[in-house]
Structure formats: structure tokens, C-alpha cells
């Protein structure tokens, strides 16, 4: 059987750090309120001349280095982003050029915070079908550009950043029969379009607009849907929650993650958390958390890892991996 193996992890965070206290100097908010409600302490913000393609390229380069591969090995680039450089072409094609990749396909996936799980699902399916051999799957966002910095209910929640993984197709069987991406599940429900959206775009206002959100509804659906889709992934593979080594949920809010842990009856110390230092970087949170946990030695070969995310649409999903 052919499966996608994850053979490299990479990340990039812009240098500039903005703390809750920094925000409290400009907005009617406080470090205490933001920490209590979200677990966020600080976020990274891209420099004015730093584009999504720049930070995506940096993350992709570190992932390729980690995999020990040169650009010429790559035949697929999928970039999950809701903050592309331009309306078109796909920002992934700019990354392809930056990396010096000269073959295969490069395209963007738009599923907002669920984008990375969607992108992994597409890359995995293409690899399983031998349509691609070596994929770089990136999540990169500069949400700071689509925030209304006068809206304290949204602007305190987000940050900028990029993460990437390198996937390679391999025949599995015998002792390595259950390694790689075991399954992916993706869903959406457009009836919730107006719960989380940007109030602009080429076919509406012509301008790019700002993020708007019904926070409580998003919270409720995030807990429900992410818990359900992790359970579906485990059931699909005849595995149980106590066999999970790590859960890497989309990093929107520490309270959302705590509620998911409670619903799944998963101990808190099996959840990788970065939201305190990075806030919500949308499609980038999962690959950033994967890269961090790989670098600090938490992720080890043979471990079972579940990824899950929910974002605007609503769109949500999960991926189950054996490292
Ligand atoms: N600082 C201080 N006060 C604030 C702030 C702030 N930054 N933001 C809102 N408030 C005030 C409100 O104005 C309100 O004041 P009022 O009672 O005088 O009217 C009060 O705090 C409570 O506001 P709520 O919106 O009811 O606060 P809630 O407890 O729901 O928390 C939050 C808001 C943190 C946004 C929460 O709803 C949440 O985390 N939702 C999930 C949203 C999310 O993570 N979205 C990310 C994108 S989607 C995703 O990634 C899954």
C-alpha cells in the first residue's frame, strides 16, 4: 500500500512580537482579559514588507532542509492561506519560484483555519494516487493585514506565521504497515458562512475587508466539530483515544482546547499548545505546532498524532498520523 510519510518539518515566525500589554496601550483591553478568555500572551506580527509568500518560503526551506532534500525533489506545493499576496495567481506559485522548483503543480487552498488539514488531505490523496511523489504542504498567514485593529473582540486573537511539512510517498507493509498519514476527514457547512468572514473581496466590495466573527458561536462549533472529527478519525482506524500520543488542535483559544480534551477524555499533557506565544495564525497553527514539538523532541517516531481544525465556512477536519 502507498502512503504519505511526513519526512520534514519547518516553521517561520516574524521577528516582531506584540504582547497583550502592547495592545492595551492602544485599545480598551488588558493582559488579564486576553489571558483569561484565550490563553494568549503575545503574537508575532509580520514586517510591512513581509508577504505571505516570503514567510511561506522560509518555512518551506526549513522543512526541506529538515527532510534533507533539495528543491528539485519537489513535484507538488500546496499552500493553505486566507491571506494570499494577490487575488491571483496562487501565492503557492510565487513560493514555487522562490524555492527554485521547476516542475509539478503549485496551488493554494482556502479553508481558513482548517486550511492545513484540507491541504494535507489533498496532498495525501495525490500521493496515494501517484499523481505526486514529494509534496511541500505549507500553512502561512499574515492575518494582521485583515484585522480591524479598533475591534478589541477580534484583533487580540490573531498573529502571523508559517509552518510546513514535506510529504513523500512510500510503499508500506509488514513492520511499517501503519506509518504515515493514516486517514484524513474534511467537512464544511456553508449555512454558517456569516459566523466568521471577511467583509470584503473582489466580487463584493472590491476591497479586501476585515475579519468579522460571532465569537460565542465559533467557540461552540469549534469544540463540537473538532471533538467529533477526531473521534471519527480514531473510529475509522479502529483506534481509541487512549492510544493517541498527541493531539495537535488548531490553536485558536486555550479554552477551546481544554474543552476538546474534556470531551475526548484526553489528558491535558497530550495536547501541544502554542497559542500562548503565537496566538491564532489560522492555517499556520498546526504546522507551526508540529515543527515546535518535533524540534523540542516531544514528537518521536512511531507515535500516533491527531490533527484537527475548524475555521470559517464553517470548514473543519482531522488527520491521523503515525510518525
Ligand atoms: N478586552 C476586553 N474586553 C473585551 C475584549 C477585549 N479584547 N473583547 C471583548 N470584550 C468585552 C466585550 O465587549 C463584552 O463586554 P460587555 O459585556 O460590556 O458587552 C465582554 O468582553 C464579553 O464579551 P464576549 O464576546 O461575550 O466574550 P466571550 O467570553 O465570548 O469571549 C472570545 C470572546 C474570546 C472571542 C470567545 O468568544 C472566543 O474565543 N470565541 C472563539 C473565537 C475564535 O477563536 N475565533 C478565531 C477564529 S475561528 C477559529 O480559529 C476556531
Amino acid at each position: 500500500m502507498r502512503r504519505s510519510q511526513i519526512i520534514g518539518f519547518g516553521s517561520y515566525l516574524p521577528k516582531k512580537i506584540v504582547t497583550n500589554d502592547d495592545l492595551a496601550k492602544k485599545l480598551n483591553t488588558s493582559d488579564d482579559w486576553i489571558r483569561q478568555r484565550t490563553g494568549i500572551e503575545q503574537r508575532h506580527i509580520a514586517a510591512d514588507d513581509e508577504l505571505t509568500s516570503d514567510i511561506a518560503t522560509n518555512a518551506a526551506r526549513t522543512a526541506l532542509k529538515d527532510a534533507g532534500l533539495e528543491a528539485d525533489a519537489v513535484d507538488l506545493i500546496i499552500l493553505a492561506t486566507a491571506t494570499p499576496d494577490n487575488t491571483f495567481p496562487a501565492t503557492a506559485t510565487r513560493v514555487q519560484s522562490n524555492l527554485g522548483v521547476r516542475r509539478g503543480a503549485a496551488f493554494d487552498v482556502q479553508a481558513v483555519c482548517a486550511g492545513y488539514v484540507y491541504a494535507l488531505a489533498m496532498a495525501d490523496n495525490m500521493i496515494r494516487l501517484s499523481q505526486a511523489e514529494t509534496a511541500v504542504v505549507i500553512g502561512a498567514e499574515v492575518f494582521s493585514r485583515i484585522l480591524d485593529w479598533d475591534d478589541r473582540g477580534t484583533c487580540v486573537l490573531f498573529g502571523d506565521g508559517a509552518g510546513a511539512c514535506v510529504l513523500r510517498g512510500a510503499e508500506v507493509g509488514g513492520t511499517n504497515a501503519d506509518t504515515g498519514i493514516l486517514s484524513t476527514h474534511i467537512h464544511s457547512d456553508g449555512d454558517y458562512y456569516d459566523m466568521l468572514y471577511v467583509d470584503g473581496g473582489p466580487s463584493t466590495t472590491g476591497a479586501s475587508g476585515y475579519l468579522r466573527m460571532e465569537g460565542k458561536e465559533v467557540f461552540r462549533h469549534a469544540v463540537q466539530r473538532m471533538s467529533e472529527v477526531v473521534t471519527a478519525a480514531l473510529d475509522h482506524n479502529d483506534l481509541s483515544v487512549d492510544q493517541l500520543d498527541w493531539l495537535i488542535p488548531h490553536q485558536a483559544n486555550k479554552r477551546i482546547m481544554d474543552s476538546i480534551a474534556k470531551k475526548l477524555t484526553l489528558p491535558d499533557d497530550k495536547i501541544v499548545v502554542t497559542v500562548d506565544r503565537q496566538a491564532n495564525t489560522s492555517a499556520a497553527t498546526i504546522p507551526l505546532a508540529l515543527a515546535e514539538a518535533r524540534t523540542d523532541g516531544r514528537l518521536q517516531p512511531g507515535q500516533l498524532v491527531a490533527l484537527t481544525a475548524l475555521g470559517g465556512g464553517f470548514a473543519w477536519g482531522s488527520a491521523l498520523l503515525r510518525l
Side-chain angles (χ1 to χ4, degrees):
M1 187 200 291
R2 190 173 152 85
R3 281 231 182 92
S4 315
Q5 310 289 323
I6 301 191
I7 60 166
F9 299 83
S11 63
Y12 176 79
L13 288 164
K15 283 199 182 60
K16 184 178 174 189
I17 291 176
V18 174
T19 64
N20 295 342
D21 284 331
D22 292 333
L23 292 179
K25 286 178 195 147
K26 299 179 201 154
L27 272 174
N28 183 13
T29 188
S30 67
D31 178 51
D32 194 45
W33 192 97
I34 301 170
R35 275 180 203 246
Q36 296 272 336
R37 291 293 219 286
T38 69
I40 295 166
E41 297 170 16
Q42 61 173 47
R43 70 284 295 141
H44 292 253
I45 300 292
D48 290 346
D49 60 354
E50 235 171 356
L51 306 183
T52 294
S53 57
D54 297 323
I55 65 174
T57 303
N58 290 341
R61 282 203 178 109
T62 58
L64 282 168
K65 192 168 174 216
D66 187 44
L69 294 179
E70 299 294 332
D72 59 7
V74 176
D75 59 359
L76 176 65
I77 298 171
I78 306 183
L79 171 61
T81 189
T83 48
D85 289 3
N86 296 95
T87 301
F88 78 81
T91 302
T93 59
R94 175 74 79 193
V95 175
Q96 182 186 32
S97 168
N98 289 349
L99 293 174
V101 174
R102 301 271 169 265
R103 66 196 180 101
F107 59 89
D108 293 355
V109 165
Q110 221 288 38
V112 210
C113 300
Y116 201 72
V117 174
Y118 269 61
L120 269 187
M122 276 181 227
D124 178 45
N125 288 331
M126 289 176 73
I127 286 172
R128 281 177 191 249
L129 290 171
S130 299
Q131 206 171 0
E133 176 65 30
T134 306
V136 182
V137 183
I138 312 163
E141 304 277 17
V142 287
F143 258 49
S144 58
R145 311 258 159 85
I146 55 162
L147 296 175
D148 176 352
W149 287 99
D150 293 324
D151 176 11
R152 64 179 183 171
T154 55
C155 74
V156 303
L157 304 175
F158 297 92
D160 300 334
C165 294
V166 179
L167 269 54
R168 179 161 253 192
E171 288 302 318
V172 292
T175 52
N176 73 343
D178 70 342
T179 63
I181 299 183
L182 304 182
S183 64
T184 56
H185 289 75
I186 56 172
H187 303 276
S188 60
D189 185 343
D191 282 353
Y192 295 94
Y193 192 99
D194 295 333
M195 293 291 125
L196 178 57
Y197 67 104
V198 167
D199 62 359
S203 84
T204 51
T205 61
S208 70
Y210 294 117
L211 184 145
R212 307 292 174 206
M213 176 181 83
E214 298 290 335
K216 281 194 200 318
E217 276 298 288
V218 173
F219 192 111
R220 197 165 66 77
H221 283 271
V223 173
Q224 183 64 28
R225 296 305 196 185
M226 285 198 266
S227 309
E228 271 171 20
V229 80
V230 169
T231 304
L234 290 167
D235 289 348
H236 182 82
N237 291 281
D238 290 326
L239 292 164
S240 60
V241 76
D242 47 289
Q243 289 172 284
L244 262 187
D245 292 293
W246 297 106
L247 174 65
I248 304 188
H250 168 52
Q251 309 278 315
N253 180 321
K254 180 69 168 55
R255 285 164 54 227
I256 292 178
M257 289 185 261
D258 291 343
S259 303
I260 293 171
K262 204 168 158 198
K263 251 184 175 322
L264 292 174
T265 63
L266 188 74
D268 288 349
D269 60 4
K270 286 193 172 185
I271 300 193
V272 177
V273 176
T274 58
V275 74
D276 50 338
R277 288 154 290 127
Q278 297 170 10
N280 181 349
T281 55
S282 184
T285 68
I286 287 178
L288 276 166
L290 276 166
E292 178 175 296
R294 178 56 133 194
T295 305
D296 67 22
R298 272 178 289 174
L299 296 189
Q300 291 292 326
Q303 288 184 335
L304 185 67
V305 182
L307 315 178
T308 185
L310 174 135
F314 291 135
W316 67 98
S318 64
L320 198 62
L321 334 167
R322 175 80 66 189
L323 295 174

